[in-house]
């Protein structure tokens, strides 16, 4: 059991209660690689809930859509190998996770940044 389990439990909970707004991964370890941050949000595609990852580079943006189990694996990979911080935005609170150089994980909660969900969108492609 790794120390990100509490974060992913919170993610599952806010998705189930429809309080999830978005997840942002930031503070890259290696800025010279060009990946600045990653945003994750959910959307419906033919009545299936998927999660869109937007990888923001210096000169481009790349999108990837995955189901929740793959989204969690991707977030864990990003937080443990590429970035030092992540923020789970919900309608109830913001959960900030920080990863130290020696992979120690710390959490803190703030008041919610969002009072409303992001505009919903759905994809047919």
């Amino acid at each position: 059991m790794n120390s990100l389990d509490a974060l992913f439990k919170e993610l599952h909970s806010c998705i189930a209660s429809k309080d999830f707004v978005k997840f942002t991964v930031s503070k890259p370890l290696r800025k010279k690689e060009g990946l600045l941050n990653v945003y994750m949000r959910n959307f419906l595609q033919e009545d299936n809930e998927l999660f869109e990852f937007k990888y923001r580079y210096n000169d481009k943006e790349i999108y990837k859509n995955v189901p929740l189990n793959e989204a969690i694996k991707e977030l864990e990979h990003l937080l443990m190998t590429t970035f030092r911080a992540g923020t789970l935005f919900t309608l109830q609170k913001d959960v900030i996770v920080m990863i130290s150089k020696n992979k120690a994980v710390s959490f803190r909660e703030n008041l919610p940044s969002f009072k409303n969900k992001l505009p919903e969108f759905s994809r047919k492609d």
Side-chain angles (χ1 to χ4, degrees):
M1 187 159 117
N2 72 42
S3 51
L4 290 175
D5 288 341
L7 175 68
F8 297 134
K9 184 177 179 184
E10 188 71 39
L11 177 62
H12 276 285
S13 175
C14 72
I15 290 169
S17 65
K18 305 290 186 202
D19 285 338
F20 175 75
V21 177
K22 69 177 182 171
F23 197 105
T24 300
V25 183
S26 58
K27 298 191 189 249
L29 291 171
R30 294 169 293 282
K31 292 181 182 180
K32 65 183 175 196
E33 290 179 8
L35 182 57
L36 303 174
N37 48 34
V38 179
Y39 303 105
M40 181 185 89
R41 66 183 285 191
N42 59 340
F43 70 95
L44 290 175
Q45 181 178 32
E46 299 174 1
D47 294 328
N48 293 321
E49 186 170 38
L50 293 175
F51 293 83
E52 176 187 76
F53 281 81
K54 177 167 87 172
Y55 300 85
R56 211 173 121 249
Y57 291 86
N58 286 325
D59 57 348
K60 63 184 174 185
E61 293 177 351
I62 297 175
Y63 294 86
K64 179 170 134 181
N65 301 324
V66 297
L68 180 57
N69 62 335
E70 289 181 39
I72 288 173
K73 288 177 188 173
E74 180 67 5
L75 288 173
E76 182 174 18
H77 172 75
L78 289 169
L79 287 168
M80 297 309 287
T81 63
T82 311
F83 292 93
R84 291 188 189 248
T87 305
L88 170 61
F89 295 96
T90 76
L91 297 177
Q92 304 302 315
K93 61 188 170 187
D94 294 350
V95 179
I96 296 107
V97 60
M98 300 296 291
I99 313 291
S100 71
K101 289 180 183 179
N102 61 356
K103 306 291 186 207
V105 179
S106 62
F107 297 94
R108 78 172 193 267
E109 293 182 4
N110 287 346
L111 293 172
S113 297
F114 293 90
K115 294 181 188 220
N116 298 304
K117 293 186 74 130
L118 297 173
E120 291 190 23
F121 68 101
S122 60
R123 298 239 166 111
K124 298 196 190 315
D125 50 26

